[in-house]
Amino acid sequence: MELPNSAEKHLGAAISALATDQFETKLYQWLIRCFEIDNTTMLAYFQNRAPDVLFTQAIEKRVHEKLETDYIPGAYLLDPFHALHVENAPPGLYRLKGIAPDQFHRNEYFAAYYQRTTLIDEMAYIAYPAEGVSVHICLGRDVTSSRRFSVRDIQKAERIAPIVCGLIEQRWSGLQSSGDFRDEDLADHLISAMNREHDVSLSPRQAEIALLILRGHSSVSIGLRLGISAQTVKVFRKQLYRKCGISSQAELFSLLMPLLTFHENDR
């Protein structure tokens, strides 16, 4: 007798296709039989260069409209899922609402990039097929269905997480990365770029706080991460805005976002 949705059959097809260029499609075909997905994005993050797009699928074109032009060149540095790569989070399933900074939905990255994708819910499988490399299988809900993932969806997704992570480790074990990704290096790059492009000299602490603001952290959240008081963060924030000649997070985003795009030879 045929099993519901032929899920097991499609899992078998994905396993059989591991060494072929059909694997990503077969993996997607299995996942959509496990639970409803509006869109899929498969990405590889590295230590020393911009991410690679491995596979995309979406009915709603806006989901991936800015992926190559905005996200890959630099916006990924503000993404909560990239933060998991930097932190070397354990392999498994992560939901955006569980990992996003406390003011993520109020920050300019969300307004300028994420909101335009029409995504209303997102979760991702994360595994590490090689040293310095993480692969993320991102599954989203957008305006196509206008529904968030249910408790049952999340439970199903968590149950199959060991299978998905195992497949990631097998499929992309040949990817390579080198060096280390450190926020200190990104802050140093920002300091140099601000000096060069705008003749503004940021301190390491000001650059560090600027990046955390852009990622959607409140003063309280920044203080907890840096081991300082929220009031001290507010002082640094005022100094940062004054030095840059701005008065809002939107202006900070417009000023710094173009400077975040950098390539391997900048590191």
Side-chain angles (χ1 to χ4, degrees), residues 45-49 85-86 131-133 177-181 267:
Y45 290 113
F46 304 92
Q47 299 292 81
N48 57 352
R49 61 185 176 92
H85 167 81
V86 177
E131 186 175 355
V133 180
S177 186
S178 61
D180 294 314
F181 181 97
R267 298 193 176 186

Side-chain angles (χ1 to χ4, degrees), residues 152-168:
R152 187 178 180 185
D153 291 329
I154 301 299
Q155 289 173 342
K156 286 182 181 178
E158 287 176 341
R159 282 204 304 271
I160 65 172
I163 300 173
V164 180
C165 291
L167 290 171
I168 289 173

